[in-house]
């Protein structure tokens, strides 16, 4: 290293990494206690404490720490939400993102990541309950809170199908491991002939139903409850969607799911995939979000990880698909792949 070059690793950068979980816990606490809406027009710690059923001492320390993070501004004895907060941290705002704390910073993730050294030693999850546990409770939270992040990708996927879908009389869609169901519902909103079969665990499907009602497509949605590797899939379908699912499994197991999808597709049907991918020749820092997501898969699944683009190609070919086309989603680390039966 050149003597004038600043090293990337410094005491400060390491200490910042060691501490950053405290920022997460402060944001999470502010959201969980419903603090932020009270600060839109400014309020004192004692008053916010009374309105949120907390102790004034606790609220004062929390608000000062939130001010230290610049989420809040302190003026005299009053605390104000910093600019941007009224849009993003007020549950009444259409742009509210606070609920995503239940996904990105849930206890399920924290508890699993605390045991990351064990997962690295073992090469897979050491948790008693994890993403592959039937009816895993986290999936209800995900289905309830994650629609907000799925909508842009779902619109891009629905758009990518336009040329193929527009002339079809039927558009019967199987949405495998649908979760909140935003992908199937978005297709149904865009194509009036579409009918959706939403498949997930029984405990998740009530949230899918809520989304279908919100989207105005509940009269065109049926549900299939059960294990996607076992449950009869019905069909044949014009479109099978498998979104944000294949990274839970090894390439072999993911290929088995793709084969199931292939077996219920009409000959001129389409498969629609969405997920993180990595490229075999790109550096991890260029695809940071995907590599960091693989860590969660290591902590939370037996053999899952973000698969490479090349692995996706091999899995699709092995499962009987051809003509794979990739569509990027602007500003997001996801790829959308559409493919046809070979
Ligand atoms: C990451 S979420 C994806 C949800 C949605 N497709 C999306 O793109 O946001 C994974 C979903 O897979 C479901 N799931 C996991 N294993 C399953 C299985 N064996 N059978 C059915 N659903 C399963 C979970 O309940 C959860 O809703």
């Amino acid at each position: 290293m050149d003597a004038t070059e600043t090293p990337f690793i410094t005491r400060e950068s390491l200490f910042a990494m060691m501490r950053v979980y405290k920022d997460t816990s402060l944001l999470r606490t502010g959201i969980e206690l419903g603090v932020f809406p009270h600060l839109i027009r400014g309020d004192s710690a004692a008053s916010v404490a009374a309105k949120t059923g907390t102790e004034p001492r606790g609220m004062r320390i929390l608000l000062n720490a939130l001010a230290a993070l610049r989420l809040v501004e302190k003026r005299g004895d009053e605390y104000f939400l910093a600019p941007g907060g009224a849009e993003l941290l007020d549950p009444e705002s259409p742009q509210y993102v606070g609920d995503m704390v239940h996904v990105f910073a849930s206890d399920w993730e924290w508890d699993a990541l605390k045991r990351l050294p064990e997962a690295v030693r073992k090469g897979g999850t050491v948790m008693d309950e994890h993403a592959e546990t039937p009816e895993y409770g986290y999936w209800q939270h995900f289905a309830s809170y994650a629609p907000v992040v799925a909508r842009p990708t779902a619109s891009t996927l629905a758009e990518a199908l336009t040329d193929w879908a527009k002339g079809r009389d039927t558009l019967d869609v199987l949405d495998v491991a649908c979760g909140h169901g935003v992908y199937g519902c978005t297709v149904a909103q865009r194509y009036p002939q579409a009918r959706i079969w939403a498949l997930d665990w029984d405990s998740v499907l009530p949230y899918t139903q809520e989304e279908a009602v919100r989207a105005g497509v509940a009269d065109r949605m049926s549900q299939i409850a059960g294990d996607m590797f076992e449950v009869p899939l019905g069909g044949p379908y014009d479109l099978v969607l498998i979104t944000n699912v294949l990274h839970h499994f090894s390439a072999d197991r993911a290929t088995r799911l793709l084969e199931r999808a292939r077996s219920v597709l009409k000959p001129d049907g389409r498969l629609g995939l969405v997920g993180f991918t990595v490229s075999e020749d790109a550096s991890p820092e260029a695809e940071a979000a995907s590599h960091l997501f693989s860590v969660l898969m290591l902590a939370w699944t037996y053999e899952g990880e973000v698969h490479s683009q090349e692995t996706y190609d091999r899995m699709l070919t092995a499962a009987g698909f051809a003509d794979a086309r990739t569509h990027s989603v602007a500003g997001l680390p996801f790829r959308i792949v559409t493919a046809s039966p070979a």
Side-chain angles (χ1 to χ4, degrees):
M1 189 179 69
D2 187 308
T4 59
E5 216 176 293
T6 313
F8 180 73
I9 298 179
T10 61
R11 285 163 57 94
E12 290 69 28
S13 69
L14 293 177
F15 291 161
M17 280 186 194
M18 291 177 198
R19 286 193 309 253
V20 72
Y21 79 95
K22 290 183 182 135
D23 297 11
T24 308
S25 79
L26 284 165
L27 176 61
R28 196 171 105 143
T29 302
I31 290 169
E32 196 175 311
L33 295 178
V35 166
F36 296 115
H38 299 297
L39 306 179
I40 293 173
R41 276 176 279 283
D43 211 345
S44 67
S47 168
V48 179
K51 290 172 186 164
T52 55
T54 54
E55 275 297 311
R57 174 176 182 272
M59 186 52 64
R60 173 176 51 78
I61 292 172
L62 174 67
L63 289 176
N64 282 335
L66 289 170
L69 294 184
R70 304 178 67 182
L71 290 170
V72 165
E73 292 170 0
K74 187 174 183 197
R75 297 181 218 147
D77 284 341
E78 297 221 305
Y79 297 85
F80 293 79
L81 199 50
E87 291 76 39
L88 298 173
L89 288 173
D90 178 6
E92 299 296 315
S93 159
Q95 286 119 56
Y96 180 63
V97 295
D99 280 343
M100 281 306 289
V101 81
H102 302 294
V103 176
F104 292 146
S106 68
D107 282 348
W108 282 285
E109 288 202 18
W110 278 30
D111 290 346
L113 290 176
K114 275 188 229 159
R115 299 186 64 187
L116 187 57
E118 293 169 74
V120 172
R121 278 191 205 106
K122 184 182 172 191
T125 188
V126 293
M127 303 300 288
D128 293 335
E129 294 214 348
H130 50 75
E132 295 192 52
T133 306
E135 314 271 2
Y136 186 39
Y138 171 83
W139 295 128
Q140 294 169 48
H141 272 235
F142 185 87
S144 174
Y145 297 119
V148 64
V149 288
R151 295 192 203 289
T153 325
S155 296
T156 309
L157 172 61
E159 174 89 38
L161 296 166
T162 306
D163 288 344
W164 166 78
K166 67 183 175 209
R168 300 184 76 85
D169 294 333
T170 61
L171 186 37
D172 288 353
V173 182
L174 174 65
D175 190 354
V176 177
C178 60
H180 41 66
V182 166
Y183 286 91
C185 290
T186 304
V187 170
Q189 279 180 314
R190 188 179 175 99
Y191 303 103
Q193 76 276 39
R195 295 183 300 172
I196 313 299
W197 279 260
L199 186 163
D200 210 298
W201 299 118
D202 199 33
S203 52
V204 171
L205 289 173
Y207 299 91
T208 321
Q209 179 67 17
E210 279 177 21
E211 177 64 22
V213 170
R214 256 195 311 271
V217 301
D219 56 332
R220 288 185 281 139
M221 180 183 279
S222 311
Q223 298 190 337
I224 303 174
D227 184 343
M228 61 192 166
F229 287 98
E230 305 286 341
V231 73
L233 297 178
Y237 297 98
D238 299 277
L239 175 66
V240 176
L241 299 175
I242 308 181
T243 62
N244 300 304
V245 172
L246 297 180
H247 49 234
H248 289 124
F249 309 109
S250 67
D252 282 349
R253 193 152 159 78
T255 303
R256 284 210 286 286
L257 191 58
L258 289 170
E259 285 166 352
R260 289 206 92 203
R262 170 73 184 82
S263 72
V264 293
L265 259 184
K266 294 179 185 172
D268 63 346
R270 285 286 184 279
L271 171 74
L273 303 179
V274 173
F276 287 101
T277 57
V278 290
S279 311
E280 282 174 4
D281 52 3
S283 73
E285 69 186 271
E287 297 179 322
S290 295
H291 288 282
L292 293 175
F293 189 75
S294 270
V295 172
L296 189 58
M297 294 299 99
L298 175 64
W300 238 9
T301 69
Y302 295 119
E303 296 179 297
E305 66 184 287
V306 174
H307 297 296
S308 68
Q309 190 68 44
E310 296 79 357
T311 302
Y312 268 96
D313 290 343
R314 285 193 287 276
M315 293 192 298
L316 285 167
T317 304
F321 289 98
D323 194 23
R325 294 178 195 194
T326 303
H327 314 258
S328 300
V329 190
L332 291 176
F334 302 118
R335 293 212 180 94
I336 293 172
V337 176
T338 55
S340 319

